[in-house]
Amino acid sequence: MPADTPSPNQARSGAAPRKAANKSARTRAREFALQALYQHLVGRNAAVDIDAFTRDLAGFHKADSVHFDALLHGCIADAAALDALITPRLDRPLAELSPIEHGVLWIGAYEFQHCLDVPWRVVLNECIELTKSFGGTDGHKYVNGVLHQLASQLRPAEVAAAPAVRKSAP
């Protein structure tokens, strides 16, 4: 069925056909960076090889390549320091994290430290969404807890100045 043809359910309900989500170039960069970090964590492939492979993937041209470079090469270069930041906040050994959770935590910790133009809540939300898209069922809850602690340590003034987010009653 062509993309602009409504599905039978849409035709009955009168709903417009769904379009692909409009993702920002930075969101796409994070997605590609996570996929690249997965290759590094699982396959121990060299960063330069992963970089070349990833740039050839469909849709990469829509990503912020500068942010992708910073995340991929920064996370790999700072892996030991990022792991040292993350490990005290874990309830299990680092080796027991899924490669997706591990990669997302690297991205979050790296952005908290090096991408000060990105608000901490944006980093947190983007990492939660990455984990929802690529990780296990409840992995996003775990990532949220760990990164929230890291945000308090790495960006204390920004976190303290942020108004509390209230959850609405069911």
Side-chain angles (χ1 to χ4, degrees):
M1 178 181 317
D4 58 347
T5 303
S7 70
N9 288 340
Q10 290 169 333
R12 279 192 294 266
S13 69
R18 291 169 47 127
K19 294 183 179 181
N22 290 332
K23 296 180 183 177
S24 74
R26 280 210 169 166
T27 294
R28 292 176 192 276
R30 288 180 189 96
E31 290 175 348
F32 284 110
L34 178 59
Q35 293 172 56
L37 291 171
Y38 182 91
Q39 289 181 49
H40 174 74
L41 287 163
V42 173
R44 294 291 172 200
N45 300 333
V48 67
D49 296 334
I50 295 169
D51 192 333
F53 174 81
T54 304
R55 286 176 186 281
D56 284 340
L57 293 175
F60 186 84
H61 67 283
K62 294 180 182 178
D64 179 339
S65 62
V66 173
H67 199 61
F68 168 80
D69 286 340
L71 293 176
L72 173 62
H73 297 288
C75 287
I76 291 173
D78 293 353
L82 295 173
D83 284 344
L85 278 170
I86 294 165
T87 300
R89 287 152 187 84
L90 302 178
D91 64 354
R92 63 189 88 154
L94 188 64
E96 291 181 14
L97 287 180
S98 78
I100 295 297
E101 290 170 352
H102 196 169
V104 170
L105 290 172
W106 273 0
I107 289 170
Y110 183 87
E111 284 196 274
F112 283 151
Q113 287 187 303
H114 301 285
C115 303
L116 301 179
D117 61 316
V118 181
W120 76 275
R121 284 198 194 267
V122 171
V123 173
L124 186 65
N125 185 58
E126 290 281 329
C127 289
I128 290 167
E129 292 304 318
L130 276 174
T131 311
K132 284 180 179 178
S133 295
F134 296 98
T137 303
D138 286 333
H140 67 282
K141 295 175 185 176
Y142 190 74
V143 165
N144 180 31
V146 173
L147 288 180
H148 205 280
Q149 292 176 51
L150 268 179
S152 296
Q153 176 192 348
L154 298 173
R155 298 205 187 165
E158 191 180 347
V159 172
V165 175
R166 292 188 199 185
K167 292 185 178 182
S168 58

